[in-house]
């Protein structure tokens, strides 16, 4: 999660279209940091499988205003409930 804080402030990612972050020990706290990432504005595919995101992480992800161009979101094995 700490790496996401540094990653989220990187100005060189403004044209990023694909982001693969499977198997990176990302939790709901890390996902919350993505809510402030303006570089996600051009993101078309976002892969977050095999992270401990959980229900709270999904809630945080749904509040990210910069994911409007997203067409692929992969969320396999992310430790969510059946709610």
């Amino acid at each position: 999660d700490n790496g996401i804080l540094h990653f989220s402030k990187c100005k060189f990612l403004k044209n990023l279209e694909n982001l693969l972050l499977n198997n990176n020990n990302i939790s709901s706290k890390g996902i919350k940091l993505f809510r402030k990432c303006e570089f996600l504005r051009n993101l078309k595919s976002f892969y977050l499988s095999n992270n401990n995101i959980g229900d709270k992480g999904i809630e945080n992800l749904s509040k990210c205003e910069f994911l409007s161009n997203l067409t692929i979101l992969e969320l396999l094995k992310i430790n969510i409930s059946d709610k």
Side-chain angles (χ1 to χ4, degrees):
D1 289 342
N2 291 334
I4 293 175
L5 180 60
H6 300 292
F7 183 77
S8 68
K9 294 180 179 182
C10 183
K11 296 177 183 177
F12 299 106
L13 299 174
K14 64 181 181 178
N15 294 319
L16 187 68
E17 292 185 1
N18 303 296
L19 184 56
L20 176 64
L21 292 175
N22 294 341
N23 302 301
N24 277 283
N25 296 315
I26 299 170
S27 71
S28 62
K29 292 177 185 177
I31 295 297
K32 190 172 184 176
L33 293 172
F34 279 118
R35 289 175 50 186
K36 300 175 183 173
C37 298
E38 291 189 43
F39 74 81
L40 296 177
R41 189 175 313 276
N42 294 316
L43 201 63
K44 294 180 181 176
S45 60
F46 200 5
Y47 298 88
L48 290 164
S49 293
N50 296 309
N51 287 294
N52 193 25
I53 294 170
D55 294 333
K56 188 67 174 173
I58 293 299
E59 183 181 328
N60 287 329
L61 191 62
S62 71
K63 294 177 182 176
C64 183
E65 61 189 68
F66 302 115
L67 294 177
S68 61
N69 290 318
L70 198 64
T71 57
I72 297 171
L73 178 60
E74 184 181 274
L75 298 169
L76 303 171
K77 298 181 183 176
I78 56 169
N79 199 23
I80 58 172
S81 68
D82 291 334
K83 292 187 212 178

